[in-house]
Amino acid sequence: MIESIVLLLLGVAAVCAQQVNVTENVFDDRLQTVIFSGNQSQLAFTLSIRGELFRSTDGGATWASQSDRLPSFNETTRGITQIHPSPADPTGQHILLVSADNLNWHTQDGGETYALFDTEVRSEEIAMHPTLANVVAMLSFHPNCFNESRSNGQIDGIACHDRAFITYDFGATWSQFEEYVHTIEFGENAVDEHGNAFIIVTSFKERQGIQGRLDPTEQRLWRFDTIAEDGEEVFPGVGLYRHLLLDHSFGVVYLEKFLFAVSKDVTAEPGTQNELPMLLWASTDGGVSIRQARFPVALSTLSQITIIDQAAAIVMALWVQRTDTFGAVFSSDSDGLEYVQILDRCRRYARHRYDYYNVRGVDGVLYANQINEDDTGNLVRYTTLMTTDQGASWRPLARPEKQLDGNPAGCVQSTVAGDGGCSLHIQLNRQYRPVTNAAAVGVVLAHGNVAQVASPLFFDWQPFVSRDAGVSWLPTVQKDVFHAELGAHGAIIVLAEQERTTDKLQYTLNEGLTWVALEGLYEPLEVQNIYHHRGMQTEEFILRGTRADNRGAIVKIDFSSLRLRTCVGHDTPGAADSDYELYTPATTADGCLLGRKVQYVRRRQNAMCTDVTESDVKILSDVCPCTRADYECDFGYTLGPTGECVAGRFAMEIDTRSIQEQCAEVGATTYYSTMGYRKEPGNQCEGGLDMDRVSKPCPDPNASSTTSRTTSRTTSRTTSSTSSAQATATPTNTPRATSSGDRNVDTTTNDGVFEPDTPNKSSGPGAGVIAIVVLLVLLCLLLVCYVAVRRRRNSYEVHGVDEGGRGATPMADTAEMDLESDSD
């Protein structure tokens, strides 16, 4: 049951003296979460701790229980456990509901009606397709997993294991397509060249026994799609064919652009702790091709890799020693294949959890907490650093010039060796992570303290706000910890106290210059979170919390009742009569950021108006000439004491491979030479200082020394390798013919042949004879290549990977996963 109380309260403050609309709903039980469905609707759902579902059609002002409207839902049902709105439906109408039993529901009209679907047993995991609203994949336990009469998890020779299902009609019908499954992953697009869905799956090599007792490092990585060529249809009639990408796999993460996996090199000798070398693989085409990535340090199956960012480049944290409280941070090239270290001793506070943050809306700005060099044995003494050039250089955060009371901000001198100068240190872990929004460019709200080191005590923390992505900061309100949220492109910032029962709310309409405190706004409750419908950028916020009597409550705060005027002058930013300004984030003194001059149109800080634009407009002006600031150290190089890139620090030194060795790697299409520098991923500078490595297309292995330099070449996904290192780590990529032709044909000109094309003017046999001879030679070469490819495909053995995207389940045992994402 729900009580609804509508309160109109007067918020008295210097910036505003008008009414704020407050609607309060009280529930019988505590609440778990609030979920907005779609980014173009006011549809929202919440769950009680007992799994009762409530629905709102007005952005959280009123709520209605859905229990009586769900078919077969009764007092014996253990409740809803998962709510899955389709990301492919901006209107929020497609929603899947999963219960703790074998009852599951779907709606295609936003909850106006519900239909029941039964998967025989409980659903364990749901994967919603990102672009096809009716396509959903699901992991489901085999019925034997829950049969009370089972003997040791096995009935009639069939053991407990996970199965993968797919639906193309949003749950009306389901088809099984794989068994003994550990992971199912759709990518950002997850459709092939024909518009059909594909999915990445890891499953155990051994297909018998209880899945939870199998070796989690002995899995295989598959791509399931609708292409029958070179594929295997495990369950006939479904129309999905699996194609092997990696063997012995034990970790996979599928991000927006990249597919990553790790495997173990089973051909190597085990180490002192029985560990094997670990191999990292990357794909940018959804697994059609996959290549081994290169790290400047040796990886083993005892290592843990965490993907902590996925902007212009992939940023990974590596944890090697099980006793370490930190990890090294590495950044990739634009292909995710080669990594250089950009930061040492990044604080690690939990498994696959690091103090690292990417500011939303401004390219290249990152924060990290670094364990002090003389204090690496604990989590206490660390400092906050920031970079504005994607990690090429780091510096401490500047402290505010003044405290909240107007006095100069300063520090008490520390006597601990290794402590730095007086600066601002902010909290970056998940509970107190900074609040940013790409629709409020440059605005950052973070908890922190001004000192020589970060304080671990939350009563030392205070909210600070920046409107230039962290270059400068202002103190906001009194010392405390708060839930915080940005709304209306940063025009409204809301704070509610954490860790205590409160009836107080604080907000600002000018990005932290002045604050309004409202007390008695609602019945006292402990606020668990603040929500804002970012897809719509409204002036409405939702507070979820628990009252003293242990009942849940949702409070909707509507600032539209303040009746702020609509901002004007968006087309004339900077003009005297405009509410908008131009903001230029920059790395260099001449206003360049990642090789370009960028300006944003955004609301002025002191403009008391509502910004109704869809988003802050980015204006790209002139491309900058390249300078030293546009380059980072190349693979195998690190920054020296004078700021230059030097080689030789890591176990793997600089790249000394020849052109032939580079091009012999699996999937290689280019080779390069380096001076120790490479352009930062995403950097668009042109001209000026040229320090970038030189990349050229690999020579055509079938071309003779007199072959034309414009000959097109075909790169097979099973390219043979002569490198002994690659011979033990070859992915099982086989070419698949499609109606649109060979998807691996590269028609770029071949600038990498070893000898120039020089005409032969000497006399000799007639042109017709030469043409016939050349044709016969080419046919023989093609036949040899075909036989080699077929032989390699049939005899292929690789190394494995186990997935870390989801933790241990009843099916996947408690082994720690070695590849996981902590990227928002």
Side-chain angles (χ1 to χ4, degrees):
M1 296 179 62
I2 313 170
E3 300 175 16
S4 293
I5 307 169
V6 178
L7 305 174
L8 292 179
L9 299 175
L10 185 64
V12 181
V15 293
C16 186
Q18 300 184 45
Q19 293 175 331
V20 174
N21 255 340
V22 178
T23 306
E24 187 173 0
N25 292 270
V26 183
F27 302 76
D28 288 341
D29 292 317
R30 288 176 290 137
L31 302 175
Q32 300 182 48
T33 187
V34 173
I35 295 176
F36 290 104
S37 184
N39 57 19
Q40 299 176 5
S41 76
Q42 291 279 350
L43 191 61
F45 293 87
T46 188
L47 275 179
S48 75
I49 59 169
R50 299 186 184 183
E52 185 176 3
L53 180 71
F54 298 88
R55 173 176 173 258
S56 173
T57 58
D58 52 14
T62 59
W63 297 84
S65 174
Q66 304 297 287
S67 297
D68 295 338
R69 306 181 62 242
L70 296 173
S72 301
F73 191 98
N74 52 51
E75 61 275 4
T76 63
T77 305
R78 294 201 292 170
I80 304 295
T81 59
Q82 303 174 44
I83 306 173
H84 294 281
S86 171
D89 181 3
T91 65
Q93 302 302 294
H94 287 71
I95 306 160
L96 280 182
L97 304 172
V98 178
S99 77
D101 302 300
N102 61 334
L103 299 177
N104 307 280
W105 298 267
H106 60 104
T107 175
Q108 299 184 63
D109 52 19
E112 292 296 320
T113 59
Y114 297 94
L116 179 70
F117 70 86
D118 190 335
T119 60
E120 300 178 359
V121 291
R122 303 171 196 172
S123 171
E124 181 185 1
E125 183 177 325
I126 294 289
M128 310 292 287
H129 198 282
T131 59
L132 303 175
N134 287 324
V135 178
V136 183
M138 175 178 59
L139 280 187
S140 177
F141 296 121
H142 192 277
N144 284 357
C145 299
F146 301 99
N147 195 310
E148 295 181 358
S149 63
R150 68 182 183 180
S151 173
N152 197 26
Q154 186 165 315
I155 300 176
D156 300 328
I158 302 176
C160 175
H161 62 274
D162 277 339
R163 303 169 298 166
F165 292 79
I166 195 166
T167 176
Y168 296 99
D169 49 21
F170 204 67
T173 59
W174 294 84
S175 300
Q176 182 177 348
F177 65 92
E178 180 64 307
E179 57 185 357
Y180 280 86
V181 181
H182 188 275
T183 308
I184 51 175
E185 293 270 6
F186 286 119
E188 181 186 24
N189 188 23
V191 294
D192 60 22
E193 57 266 40
H194 305 296
N196 299 320
F198 70 84
I199 187 170
I200 300 299
V201 174
T202 60
S203 60
F204 286 84
K205 294 177 64 176
E206 190 173 350
R207 300 301 179 98
Q208 60 183 359
I210 299 174
Q211 181 171 320
R213 299 176 184 175
L214 301 179
D215 182 357
T217 68
E218 286 296 330
Q219 299 180 47
R220 284 178 171 149
L221 180 67
W222 307 92
R223 173 186 161 116
F224 281 78
D225 56 29
T226 58
I227 301 175
E229 180 72 18
D230 299 312
E232 174 189 7
E233 189 176 25
V234 183
F235 289 85
V238 180
L240 281 179
Y241 300 86
R242 69 180 188 184
H243 306 267
L244 184 61
L245 305 182
L246 285 175
D247 204 357
H248 309 289
S249 68
F250 62 102
V252 61
V253 172
Y254 203 167
L255 302 176
E256 294 180 0
K257 179 183 177 182
F258 297 93
L259 168 67
F260 289 98
V262 291
S263 66
K264 61 183 181 183
D265 186 350
V266 296
T267 65
E269 290 292 328
T272 57
Q273 301 183 55
N274 206 34
E275 77 275 12
L276 289 172
M278 184 168 71
L279 310 176
L280 176 67
W281 303 83
S283 172
T284 58
D285 55 14
V288 174
S289 61
I290 191 166
R291 293 183 60 187
Q292 185 180 345
R294 296 201 300 156
F295 245 67
V297 295
L299 303 175
S300 80
T301 50
L302 297 180
S303 307
Q304 283 186 6
I305 297 177
T306 307
I307 300 172
I308 55 178
D309 193 17
Q310 51 170 325
I314 290 296
V315 180
M316 294 185 175
L318 173 64
W319 187 53
V320 179
Q321 301 296 329
R322 298 286 165 160
T323 58
D324 283 347
T325 57
F326 60 88
V329 178
F330 298 83
S331 177
S332 76
D333 58 3
S334 58
D335 295 322
L337 291 173
E338 293 187 338
Y339 291 80
V340 295
Q341 182 171 324
I342 61 173
L343 187 68
D344 193 16
R345 306 187 314 279
C346 183
R347 179 175 178 259
R348 178 183 183 272
Y349 61 92
R351 178 177 174 267
H352 288 297
R353 297 291 180 261
Y354 289 85
D355 274 5
Y356 181 96
Y357 187 74
N358 178 8
V359 176
R360 305 296 179 257
V362 181
D363 298 335
V365 179
L366 316 168
Y367 305 145
N369 281 330
Q370 186 179 54
I371 298 290
N372 290 4
E373 190 169 8
D374 296 334
D375 195 38
T376 56
N378 60 64
L379 291 175
V380 176
R381 311 197 73 80
Y382 54 90
T383 58
T384 301
L385 304 175
M386 76 171 294
T387 175
T388 56
D389 52 14
Q390 202 74 37
S393 59
W394 296 81
R395 64 178 185 269
L397 291 183
R399 69 178 185 270
E401 293 183 0
K402 294 183 178 181
Q403 302 179 43
L404 193 60
D405 58 8
N407 291 322
C411 299
V412 176
Q413 183 65 33
S414 172
T415 59
V416 178
D419 285 355
C422 185
S423 61
L424 175 64
H425 310 278
I426 60 177
Q427 299 300 310
L428 301 177
N429 64 62
R430 285 196 163 220
Q431 184 175 359
Y432 305 107
R433 185 167 283 183
V435 178
T436 61
N437 189 336
V441 61
V443 178
V444 184
L445 187 71
H447 287 91
N449 67 292
V450 176
Q452 291 180 293
V453 292
S455 172
L457 306 175
F458 68 84
F459 50 75
D460 286 335
W461 303 344
Q462 181 179 2
F464 293 86
V465 66
S466 171
R467 63 189 314 267
D468 52 18
V471 176
S472 62
W473 297 84
L474 287 174
T476 57
V477 295
Q478 75 280 3
K479 288 185 178 182
D480 211 333
V481 288
F482 296 86
H483 294 290
E485 186 56 281
L486 307 177
H489 303 282
I492 306 173
I493 303 177
V494 175
L495 299 177
E497 296 172 343
Q498 287 194 46
E499 315 292 344
R500 63 172 56 87
T501 300
T502 182
D503 62 356
K504 184 177 179 181
L505 184 78
Q506 301 183 70
Y507 70 91
T508 176
L509 301 178
N510 51 23
E511 298 173 356
L513 283 179
T514 56
W515 290 82
V516 181
L518 300 178
E519 297 190 39
L521 193 64
Y522 44 82
E523 290 295 318
L525 75 156
E526 182 179 342
V527 179
Q528 267 93 45
N529 212 340
I530 302 178
Y531 303 88
H532 175 256
H533 198 323
R534 294 195 172 189
M536 301 188 71
Q537 287 299 317
T538 66
E539 298 170 88
E540 302 170 350
F541 296 80
I542 288 178
L543 277 64
R544 174 179 59 86
T546 304
R547 285 186 170 184
D549 59 5
N550 217 28
R551 292 192 298 167
I554 288 180
V555 181
K556 182 178 180 180
I557 314 292
D558 186 357
F559 289 91
S560 63
S561 58
L562 296 180
R563 298 180 181 177
L564 299 176
R565 63 180 177 84
T566 301
C567 297
V568 297
H570 188 271
D571 295 333
T572 56
D577 58 350
S578 175
D579 291 314
Y580 294 89
E581 65 181 2
L582 289 174
Y583 163 56
T584 304
T587 299
T588 60
D590 54 357
C592 294
L593 177 70
L594 294 179
R596 59 192 178 182
K597 292 183 179 179
V598 183
Q599 290 183 317
Y600 294 86
V601 178
R602 67 177 186 182
R603 192 189 67 119
R604 293 181 189 268
Q605 185 174 19
N606 58 358
M608 301 298 293
C609 59
T610 301
D611 187 358
V612 297
T613 58
E614 291 187 1
S615 64
D616 290 331
V617 177
K618 179 189 290 186
I619 302 174
L620 301 181
S621 56
D622 295 337
V623 175
C624 300
C626 297
T627 66
R628 171 65 183 87
D630 297 304
Y631 296 93
E632 64 184 8
C633 294
D634 203 353
F635 179 83
Y637 293 79
T638 57
L639 278 177
T642 61
E644 301 302 309
C645 294
V646 296
R649 179 177 174 183
F650 292 111
M652 295 182 181
E653 300 293 342
I654 61 176
D655 194 352
T656 58
R657 297 169 302 163
S658 66
I659 295 175
Q660 295 94 328
E661 289 173 330
Q662 293 184 54
C663 292
E665 288 191 357
V666 175
T669 59
T670 59
Y671 70 92
Y672 72 90
S673 59
T674 181
M675 297 184 294
Y677 300 85
R678 70 183 186 192
K679 191 179 291 186
E680 299 163 339
N683 194 298
Q684 299 178 15
C685 71
E686 296 179 1
L689 181 63
D690 186 6
M691 305 174 70
D692 203 6
R693 59 184 181 182
V694 179
S695 178
K696 292 185 178 181
C698 285
D700 186 343
N702 295 324
S704 66
S705 61
T706 58
T707 301
S708 171
R709 298 186 65 176
T710 59
T711 303
S712 65
R713 60 184 170 81
T714 300
T715 305
S716 170
R717 293 174 63 192
T718 54
T719 305
S720 172
S721 173
T722 59
S723 168
S724 60
Q726 292 293 327
T728 64
T730 309
T732 56
N733 293 328
T734 55
R736 294 184 241 149
T738 66
S739 59
S740 60
D742 190 343
R743 64 174 76 177
N744 295 290
V745 173
D746 182 355
T747 58
T748 57
T749 58
N750 185 2
D751 291 328
V753 290
F754 299 118
E755 296 182 22
D757 180 19
T758 54
N760 186 353
K761 298 182 179 180
S762 60
S763 59
V769 176
I770 295 177
I772 294 174
V773 173
V774 170
L775 180 61
L776 290 174
V777 171
L778 289 175
L779 287 174
C780 292
L781 286 173
L782 288 173
L783 179 61
V784 170
C785 290
Y786 174 80
V787 172
V789 168
R790 296 294 298 181
R791 188 172 296 166
R792 187 171 186 83
R793 181 191 308 166
N794 295 333
S795 63
Y796 174 71
E797 282 277 347
V798 208
H799 328 292
V801 182
D802 167 36
E803 169 263 40
R806 62 187 178 93
T809 70
M811 299 299 95
D813 210 0
T814 57
E816 272 200 337
M817 304 308 171
D818 297 313
L819 179 65
E820 192 167 307
S821 175
D822 187 31
S823 175
D824 289 339

mmCIF file of all heavy atoms in Angstrom, residues 613-637:
data_model
loop_
_atom_site.group_PDB
_atom_site.id
_atom_site.type_symbol
_atom_site.label_atom_id
_atom_site.label_comp_id
_atom_site.label_asym_id
_atom_site.label_seq_id
_atom_site.Cartn_x
_atom_site.Cartn_y
_atom_site.Cartn_z
ATOM 1 N N THR A 613 17.734 23.577 -24.003
ATOM 2 C CA THR A 613 18.410 22.959 -25.140
ATOM 3 C C THR A 613 18.616 21.481 -24.861
ATOM 4 O O THR A 613 18.664 21.040 -23.709
ATOM 5 C CB THR A 613 19.765 23.632 -25.404
ATOM 6 O OG1 THR A 613 20.569 23.544 -24.222
ATOM 7 C CG2 THR A 613 19.566 25.089 -25.774
ATOM 8 N N GLU A 614 18.738 20.705 -25.916
ATOM 9 C CA GLU A 614 18.889 19.268 -25.744
ATOM 10 C C GLU A 614 20.199 18.916 -25.067
ATOM 11 O O GLU A 614 20.282 18.002 -24.276
ATOM 12 C CB GLU A 614 18.783 18.554 -27.094
ATOM 13 C CG GLU A 614 17.387 18.603 -27.701
ATOM 14 C CD GLU A 614 17.278 17.744 -28.941
ATOM 15 O OE1 GLU A 614 18.285 17.096 -29.302
ATOM 16 O OE2 GLU A 614 16.206 17.721 -29.565
ATOM 17 N N SER A 615 21.259 19.625 -25.381
ATOM 18 C CA SER A 615 22.563 19.383 -24.770
ATOM 19 C C SER A 615 23.450 20.580 -25.041
ATOM 20 O O SER A 615 23.150 21.416 -25.888
ATOM 21 C CB SER A 615 23.218 18.108 -25.326
ATOM 22 O OG SER A 615 23.478 18.257 -26.707
ATOM 23 N N ASP A 616 24.535 20.671 -24.292
ATOM 24 C CA ASP A 616 25.496 21.732 -24.558
ATOM 25 C C ASP A 616 26.132 21.486 -25.920
ATOM 26 O O ASP A 616 26.566 20.375 -26.233
ATOM 27 C CB ASP A 616 26.569 21.757 -23.472
ATOM 28 C CG ASP A 616 26.005 22.241 -22.139
ATOM 29 O OD1 ASP A 616 25.045 23.020 -22.173
ATOM 30 O OD2 ASP A 616 26.535 21.840 -21.088
ATOM 31 N N VAL A 617 26.186 22.510 -26.727
ATOM 32 C CA VAL A 617 26.647 22.381 -28.107
ATOM 33 C C VAL A 617 28.166 22.454 -28.148
ATOM 34 O O VAL A 617 28.772 23.384 -27.613
ATOM 35 C CB VAL A 617 26.026 23.485 -28.985
ATOM 36 C CG1 VAL A 617 26.572 23.392 -30.407
ATOM 37 C CG2 VAL A 617 24.506 23.369 -28.982
ATOM 38 N N LYS A 618 28.784 21.466 -28.776
ATOM 39 C CA LYS A 618 30.233 21.462 -28.955
ATOM 40 C C LYS A 618 30.571 22.098 -30.307
ATOM 41 O O LYS A 618 30.018 21.721 -31.334
ATOM 42 C CB LYS A 618 30.793 20.047 -28.896
ATOM 43 C CG LYS A 618 32.306 19.979 -29.113
ATOM 44 C CD LYS A 618 32.795 18.553 -29.270
ATOM 45 C CE LYS A 618 32.727 17.760 -28.002
ATOM 46 N NZ LYS A 618 33.341 16.427 -28.125
ATOM 47 N N ILE A 619 31.464 23.067 -30.277
ATOM 48 C CA ILE A 619 31.910 23.729 -31.497
ATOM 49 C C ILE A 619 33.376 23.377 -31.709
ATOM 50 O O ILE A 619 34.224 23.693 -30.880
ATOM 51 C CB ILE A 619 31.752 25.257 -31.402
ATOM 52 C CG1 ILE A 619 30.287 25.620 -31.127
ATOM 53 C CG2 ILE A 619 32.238 25.930 -32.666
ATOM 54 C CD1 ILE A 619 30.076 27.092 -30.875
ATOM 55 N N LEU A 620 33.674 22.721 -32.813
ATOM 56 C CA LEU A 620 35.048 22.379 -33.140
ATOM 57 C C LEU A 620 35.604 23.450 -34.066
ATOM 58 O O LEU A 620 35.099 23.634 -35.181
ATOM 59 C CB LEU A 620 35.116 21.006 -33.811
ATOM 60 C CG LEU A 620 34.566 19.832 -33.002
ATOM 61 C CD1 LEU A 620 34.735 18.537 -33.796
ATOM 62 C CD2 LEU A 620 35.284 19.720 -31.680
ATOM 63 N N SER A 621 36.622 24.151 -33.611
ATOM 64 C CA SER A 621 37.230 25.176 -34.446
ATOM 65 C C SER A 621 38.497 24.628 -35.078
ATOM 66 O O SER A 621 38.556 23.453 -35.441
ATOM 67 C CB SER A 621 37.501 26.440 -33.621
ATOM 68 O OG SER A 621 38.304 26.149 -32.496
ATOM 69 N N ASP A 622 39.543 25.424 -35.177
ATOM 70 C CA ASP A 622 40.729 25.036 -35.925
ATOM 71 C C ASP A 622 41.440 23.836 -35.303
ATOM 72 O O ASP A 622 41.481 23.677 -34.083
ATOM 73 C CB ASP A 622 41.695 26.212 -35.996
ATOM 74 C CG ASP A 622 41.120 27.368 -36.787
ATOM 75 O OD1 ASP A 622 40.217 27.106 -37.608
ATOM 76 O OD2 ASP A 622 41.558 28.508 -36.582
ATOM 77 N N VAL A 623 41.987 22.991 -36.165
ATOM 78 C CA VAL A 623 42.872 21.926 -35.718
ATOM 79 C C VAL A 623 44.215 22.536 -35.350
ATOM 80 O O VAL A 623 44.724 23.421 -36.044
ATOM 81 C CB VAL A 623 43.042 20.867 -36.825
ATOM 82 C CG1 VAL A 623 44.066 19.818 -36.408
ATOM 83 C CG2 VAL A 623 41.712 20.205 -37.136
ATOM 84 N N CYS A 624 44.816 22.079 -34.263
ATOM 85 C CA CYS A 624 46.061 22.660 -33.759
ATOM 86 C C CYS A 624 47.271 21.986 -34.402
ATOM 87 O O CYS A 624 47.230 20.785 -34.723
ATOM 88 C CB CYS A 624 46.153 22.496 -32.250
ATOM 89 S SG CYS A 624 44.820 23.298 -31.337
ATOM 90 N N PRO A 625 48.367 22.715 -34.557
ATOM 91 C CA PRO A 625 49.620 22.062 -34.979
ATOM 92 C C PRO A 625 50.142 21.189 -33.849
ATOM 93 O O PRO A 625 49.974 21.499 -32.668
ATOM 94 C CB PRO A 625 50.551 23.241 -35.260
ATOM 95 C CG PRO A 625 49.994 24.373 -34.452
ATOM 96 C CD PRO A 625 48.517 24.169 -34.416
ATOM 97 N N CYS A 626 50.769 20.087 -34.201
ATOM 98 C CA CYS A 626 51.232 19.130 -33.199
ATOM 99 C C CYS A 626 52.408 19.693 -32.407
ATOM 100 O O CYS A 626 53.309 20.340 -32.961
ATOM 101 C CB CYS A 626 51.661 17.823 -33.876
ATOM 102 S SG CYS A 626 50.320 16.972 -34.733
ATOM 103 N N THR A 627 52.391 19.449 -31.101
ATOM 104 C CA THR A 627 53.488 19.799 -30.208
ATOM 105 C C THR A 627 53.831 18.570 -29.376
ATOM 106 O O THR A 627 53.174 17.524 -29.479
ATOM 107 C CB THR A 627 53.106 20.967 -29.278
ATOM 108 O OG1 THR A 627 52.064 20.522 -28.385
ATOM 109 C CG2 THR A 627 52.605 22.165 -30.073
ATOM 110 N N ARG A 628 54.836 18.690 -28.520
ATOM 111 C CA ARG A 628 55.223 17.567 -27.656
ATOM 112 C C ARG A 628 54.051 17.115 -26.799
ATOM 113 O O ARG A 628 53.927 15.917 -26.485
ATOM 114 C CB ARG A 628 56.406 17.986 -26.772
ATOM 115 C CG ARG A 628 56.765 16.990 -25.673
ATOM 116 C CD ARG A 628 57.256 15.668 -26.231
ATOM 117 N NE ARG A 628 57.535 14.703 -25.186
ATOM 118 C CZ ARG A 628 56.636 13.880 -24.652
ATOM 119 N NH1 ARG A 628 55.376 13.896 -25.092
ATOM 120 N NH2 ARG A 628 56.976 13.034 -23.704
ATOM 121 N N ALA A 629 53.159 18.036 -26.422
ATOM 122 C CA ALA A 629 52.029 17.697 -25.558
ATOM 123 C C ALA A 629 51.036 16.764 -26.228
ATOM 124 O O ALA A 629 50.193 16.170 -25.556
ATOM 125 C CB ALA A 629 51.313 18.968 -25.103
ATOM 126 N N ASP A 630 51.110 16.605 -27.554
ATOM 127 C CA ASP A 630 50.170 15.750 -28.282
ATOM 128 C C ASP A 630 50.646 14.309 -28.392
ATOM 129 O O ASP A 630 49.948 13.469 -28.976
ATOM 130 C CB ASP A 630 49.927 16.316 -29.680
ATOM 131 C CG ASP A 630 49.284 17.684 -29.642
ATOM 132 O OD1 ASP A 630 48.216 17.798 -29.033
ATOM 133 O OD2 ASP A 630 49.873 18.634 -30.203
ATOM 134 N N TYR A 631 51.827 14.014 -27.835
ATOM 135 C CA TYR A 631 52.389 12.678 -27.965
ATOM 136 C C TYR A 631 52.562 12.040 -26.588
ATOM 137 O O TYR A 631 52.842 12.717 -25.596
ATOM 138 C CB TYR A 631 53.742 12.722 -28.678
ATOM 139 C CG TYR A 631 53.654 13.208 -30.099
ATOM 140 C CD1 TYR A 631 53.825 14.552 -30.406
ATOM 141 C CD2 TYR A 631 53.374 12.325 -31.136
ATOM 142 C CE1 TYR A 631 53.736 15.015 -31.710
ATOM 143 C CE2 TYR A 631 53.286 12.778 -32.449
ATOM 144 C CZ TYR A 631 53.466 14.118 -32.721
ATOM 145 O OH TYR A 631 53.362 14.548 -34.024
ATOM 146 N N GLU A 632 52.387 10.718 -26.558
ATOM 147 C CA GLU A 632 52.680 9.936 -25.373
ATOM 148 C C GLU A 632 53.774 8.936 -25.719
ATOM 149 O O GLU A 632 54.141 8.770 -26.883
ATOM 150 C CB GLU A 632 51.434 9.198 -24.889
ATOM 151 C CG GLU A 632 50.897 8.166 -25.860
ATOM 152 C CD GLU A 632 49.610 7.514 -25.400
ATOM 153 O OE1 GLU A 632 49.050 7.977 -24.389
ATOM 154 O OE2 GLU A 632 49.163 6.542 -26.046
ATOM 155 N N CYS A 633 54.286 8.259 -24.709
ATOM 156 C CA CYS A 633 55.337 7.275 -24.961
ATOM 157 C C CYS A 633 54.774 6.073 -25.696
ATOM 158 O O CYS A 633 53.681 5.594 -25.388
ATOM 159 C CB CYS A 633 55.975 6.844 -23.648
ATOM 160 S SG CYS A 633 56.877 8.173 -22.819
ATOM 161 N N ASP A 634 55.527 5.564 -26.651
ATOM 162 C CA ASP A 634 55.116 4.411 -27.426
ATOM 163 C C ASP A 634 55.337 3.133 -26.618
ATOM 164 O O ASP A 634 55.917 3.141 -25.527
ATOM 165 C CB ASP A 634 55.909 4.360 -28.733
ATOM 166 C CG ASP A 634 55.192 3.565 -29.811
ATOM 167 O OD1 ASP A 634 54.155 2.939 -29.508
ATOM 168 O OD2 ASP A 634 55.664 3.558 -30.960
ATOM 169 N N PHE A 635 54.883 2.025 -27.175
ATOM 170 C CA PHE A 635 55.022 0.727 -26.519
ATOM 171 C C PHE A 635 56.489 0.451 -26.192
ATOM 172 O O PHE A 635 57.365 0.588 -27.036
ATOM 173 C CB PHE A 635 54.484 -0.367 -27.440
ATOM 174 C CG PHE A 635 54.606 -1.756 -26.869
ATOM 175 C CD1 PHE A 635 53.650 -2.234 -25.996
ATOM 176 C CD2 PHE A 635 55.688 -2.565 -27.186
ATOM 177 C CE1 PHE A 635 53.762 -3.509 -25.457
ATOM 178 C CE2 PHE A 635 55.803 -3.827 -26.654
ATOM 179 C CZ PHE A 635 54.836 -4.297 -25.787
ATOM 180 N N GLY A 636 56.746 0.069 -24.928
ATOM 181 C CA GLY A 636 58.097 -0.234 -24.494
ATOM 182 C C GLY A 636 58.868 0.961 -23.984
ATOM 183 O O GLY A 636 60.022 0.815 -23.583
ATOM 184 N N TYR A 637 58.262 2.151 -23.989
ATOM 185 C CA TYR A 637 58.919 3.370 -23.524
ATOM 186 C C TYR A 637 58.142 3.963 -22.353
ATOM 187 O O TYR A 637 56.919 3.821 -22.261
ATOM 188 C CB TYR A 637 58.999 4.406 -24.649
ATOM 189 C CG TYR A 637 59.903 4.019 -25.795
ATOM 190 C CD1 TYR A 637 59.475 3.129 -26.777
ATOM 191 C CD2 TYR A 637 61.185 4.542 -25.906
ATOM 192 C CE1 TYR A 637 60.296 2.773 -27.834
ATOM 193 C CE2 TYR A 637 62.015 4.198 -26.960
ATOM 194 C CZ TYR A 637 61.564 3.309 -27.920
ATOM 195 O OH TYR A 637 62.377 2.959 -28.968
#
